[in-house]
Amino acid sequence: MATVPKLLGLLLLMSTTATAAPPAIAGRDAAAVRSVLSRYQTAVEHLDARGTETLFAKDSQIFESGGSEGNYANYLAHHLTPELGEFKSFKFGDYHVSVRFEGPVALATETYTYRIETKKGEIAERRGVATSALTKVGRRWQIIVMHSSARKPST
């Protein structure tokens, strides 16, 4: 039972030390987080992920449709780049994003649809969702965790 007062004390300390950013700063940070996500989305649509490494922390973790892909460098080399090479087109639609802050961490939730056409002419249409955690490194926001999943739209 001695741990309960310690836990309550820790929670109280955490709640009093986490302060909200002034609205102008929070607004700029939210826009910067949206920009990171948009730059990643644009790279995927252009089927060219070069330069996206700067959007992710070196020790990031990527999770996709129930699997752990490791850090972004691993995901980029062994999953994303080879996959994009097989596509003729990749288009996002009905995109919505919400961003909130928990202390120094930004939490972003994206919902969207996408349509992929492979070079072989196969078509895949999906509804997707992604949740990302970002942190500020220097003056830049970077993704530290990204989890995405998708399913066929109901007909």
Side-chain angles (χ1 to χ4, degrees):
M1 289 290 223
T3 59
V4 173
K6 287 181 186 176
L7 179 59
L8 290 174
L10 179 61
L11 291 172
L12 180 61
L13 177 64
M14 289 171 54
S15 68
T16 59
T17 57
T19 58
I25 293 172
R28 283 194 303 267
D29 282 337
V33 166
R34 285 184 180 92
S35 175
V36 168
L37 300 171
S38 176
R39 289 171 41 211
Y40 181 71
Q41 181 184 39
T42 298
V44 170
E45 283 190 317
H46 286 122
L47 307 177
D48 184 359
R50 286 178 294 176
T52 57
E53 304 89 343
T54 63
L55 305 175
F56 292 81
K58 291 197 185 308
D59 62 346
S60 62
Q61 291 293 302
I62 309 300
F63 303 94
E64 184 178 82
S65 297
S68 176
E69 303 289 341
N71 66 17
Y72 185 70
N74 184 69
Y75 177 68
L76 181 63
H78 300 286
H79 184 107
L80 186 60
T81 299
E83 195 170 73
L84 293 177
E86 297 297 317
F87 297 158
K88 181 178 177 183
S89 67
F90 193 126
K91 298 294 178 204
F92 286 98
D94 197 24
Y95 179 80
H96 301 279
V97 61
S98 66
V99 177
R100 73 174 202 193
F101 296 92
E102 294 293 331
V105 175
L107 301 174
T109 303
E110 301 166 281
T111 59
Y112 47 85
T113 59
Y114 64 87
R115 183 180 190 277
I116 297 170
E117 183 177 354
T118 68
K119 289 179 178 177
K120 294 177 181 179
E122 301 163 322
I123 303 292
E125 293 183 350
R126 301 286 185 269
R127 289 184 336 165
V129 63
T131 304
S132 300
L134 297 87
T135 189
K136 210 170 195 179
V137 178
R139 294 178 177 235
R140 288 190 326 206
W141 284 95
Q142 289 186 314
I143 300 166
I144 53 176
V145 175
M146 177 182 275
H147 178 246
S148 63
S149 64
R151 64 179 177 215
K152 289 182 181 180
S154 54
T155 54

